[in-house]
Amino acid sequence: VLLNVKEGDYVLIEFGHNDASKDKVDRYTSVEDYKIYLKEQYIIPIEQRGGIPVLVTLCNRNDYNQLTGEFNVSFERYVVAMREVADETDTLLVDLNAKTVEEFTKLNKKYGIGITEEIIYNYADAGEFEGAYADGVADNTHLQEYGAKLVGGYVAEDISDLSDVLKQAYISTSKSGEK
């Protein structure tokens, strides 16, 4: 990505699911290292190339209270760490975690607890598909097609909102002669 970043390119940065897996030594990253990597391996090099880094908190896992339908925050320490890095470095942030917690809780309350297994996350009964999912699947991290489109729409909405904020900031600084 860094070899192809051009001035003005937006680069979306979203990590956390695999970083938090202590039992997977090849993937695990401590929260402290996570913050350092976000800054030193992504934000700074992207900005040095004239790109615009945008941190995106991780999409929440399918983890909710079975009685109330309220979603629990997945990997909260990594979500908080990314928000902190955004504040510390003045980097744009799309808080996808907060959005998915809020919206998926609404879905559970409106359509019934467990609707997220049916329409959002990668769930299928045995025999429903051929190939890798022939025996069924219950995946609380990865999204099925509708879920991916929904979550992609959330990101697009927030990017659009950020774009409006950036335009207003540019207009304000242009009028004052600052850049």
Side-chain angles (χ1 to χ4, degrees), residues 14-169:
E14 187 266 345
F15 295 103
H17 289 94
N18 292 327
D19 303 272
S21 300
K22 280 188 177 181
D23 59 328
K24 296 180 179 164
V25 185
D26 61 323
R27 296 178 178 184
Y28 175 71
T29 303
S30 70
V31 172
E32 296 77 22
D33 285 343
Y34 177 78
K35 290 175 76 169
I36 291 167
Y37 295 149
L38 288 173
K39 293 175 192 175
E40 295 180 4
Q41 301 296 317
Y42 297 95
I43 295 169
I44 292 170
I46 290 165
E47 289 177 337
Q48 287 173 338
R49 288 159 178 80
I52 302 163
V54 180
L55 295 174
V56 181
T57 59
L58 56 93
C59 178
N60 209 69
R61 294 189 81 229
N62 192 39
D63 177 21
Y64 55 86
N65 180 302
Q66 296 290 322
L67 298 175
T68 66
E70 295 276 338
F71 264 72
N72 303 307
V73 175
S74 299
F75 310 111
E76 186 170 14
R77 293 177 56 227
Y78 291 83
V79 172
V80 169
M82 185 174 277
R83 290 177 186 144
E84 290 171 353
V85 169
D87 286 341
E88 292 165 9
T89 61
D90 200 27
T91 300
L92 298 173
L93 176 76
V94 170
D95 199 345
L96 183 60
N97 187 268
K99 185 75 166 187
T100 52
V101 166
E102 175 187 350
E103 294 299 325
F104 294 171
T105 294
K106 286 180 187 175
L107 286 171
N108 266 346
K109 290 182 181 247
K110 183 173 183 177
Y111 296 106
I113 296 172
I115 189 66
T116 51
E117 283 90 14
E118 293 179 39
I119 65 171
I120 304 294
Y121 292 94
N122 198 11
Y123 273 69
D125 293 328
E128 197 172 335
F129 294 103
E130 295 178 5
Y133 298 137
D135 294 332
V137 62
D139 182 342
N140 289 306
T141 300
H142 300 96
L143 307 171
Q144 58 178 278
E145 184 177 358
Y146 177 75
K149 288 178 179 178
L150 193 62
V151 170
Y154 297 155
V155 173
E157 287 172 9
D158 282 1
I159 292 292
S160 178
D161 292 345
L162 288 175
S163 178
D164 291 343
V165 168
L166 288 173
K167 286 177 195 170
Q168 289 303 319

